[in-house]
Amino acid sequence: MEPDAAFLRLWQHAAEFLLDRSEHPPAASKDWRQDVKLSCQCEDCCALQAFARDAQTQVGRFRVRQNRRQHLHQVIERHDLDMTHVTERKGSPQTLVSTKTRRTYQRQCAQHKADCAAMTALLDVKPDASDAKASLGARMAAAKAREPWT
């Protein structure tokens, strides 16, 4: 049975979408630098931005009053920075300890894995049509074989 034209267009669109997004696995960062531009330019946020952009430092310590720690906490959340933050409850003022994470990379790897699963499903129903479809099928098979760089 020949696939109809609508199925072929849909298959091709889905294949191109998946390949555009996940033909190559995400690359792991070689350092801890996070390219961020914080909207607030107060002294604490400038220090937080400097910490985020520092390629070598994974843990930042901000010894400031509670209202300033709360402000930093809100900025980290609002900008969805790849870092955790906890208050070290000793001394006065207490210290906000922020640790950079690889959350974005982990999300990208999960998306890549899901896209590879979708490519598998798409290849299972690959139409036997044109050379263009065969080329997309070959590209998807190659993309599935690549592993994220860790």
Side-chain angles (χ1 to χ4, degrees):
M1 178 170 143
E2 281 292 310
D4 66 15
F7 173 79
L8 291 174
R9 282 193 309 274
L10 182 59
W11 188 93
Q12 184 171 359
H13 177 72
E16 289 170 349
F17 172 81
L18 290 169
L19 286 167
D20 284 346
R21 188 165 67 181
S22 289
E23 185 166 10
H24 300 283
S29 179
K30 295 178 183 1
D31 58 36
W32 288 105
R33 178 178 170 75
Q34 294 182 21
D35 293 319
V36 298
K37 175 75 171 126
L38 301 181
S39 54
C40 179
Q41 294 299 305
C42 74
E43 179 182 346
D44 296 326
C45 286
C46 287
L48 178 63
Q49 183 167 293
F51 162 64
R53 291 180 174 180
D54 185 326
Q56 303 306 313
T57 306
Q58 185 183 6
V59 178
R61 302 176 63 77
F62 304 91
R63 189 174 178 148
V64 293
R65 293 185 322 268
Q66 180 181 6
N67 63 327
R68 293 169 62 190
R69 288 193 314 273
Q70 183 64 30
H71 173 67
L72 288 173
H73 166 90
Q74 291 169 348
V75 169
I76 290 168
E77 296 295 319
R78 185 177 330 119
H79 288 273
D80 196 27
L81 300 181
D82 276 358
M83 55 182 73
T84 61
H85 48 85
V86 295
T87 299
E88 187 175 83
R89 305 207 180 276
K90 59 182 176 183
S92 182
Q94 295 175 345
T95 304
L96 181 73
V97 180
S98 185
T99 305
K100 294 177 189 172
T101 66
R102 301 275 193 228
R103 189 177 65 235
T104 297
Y105 173 70
Q106 291 163 345
R107 237 185 344 249
Q108 291 168 341
C109 286
Q111 182 67 63
H112 181 263
K113 182 177 180 179
D115 286 349
C116 285
M119 286 183 217
T120 297
L122 205 54
L123 285 169
D124 287 346
V125 295
K126 183 171 91 60
D128 296 324
S130 69
D131 291 338
K133 309 282 186 304
S135 173
L136 285 172
R139 284 177 57 203
M140 283 193 294
K144 286 181 6 159
R146 294 183 185 106
E147 290 294 321
W149 302 309
T150 54

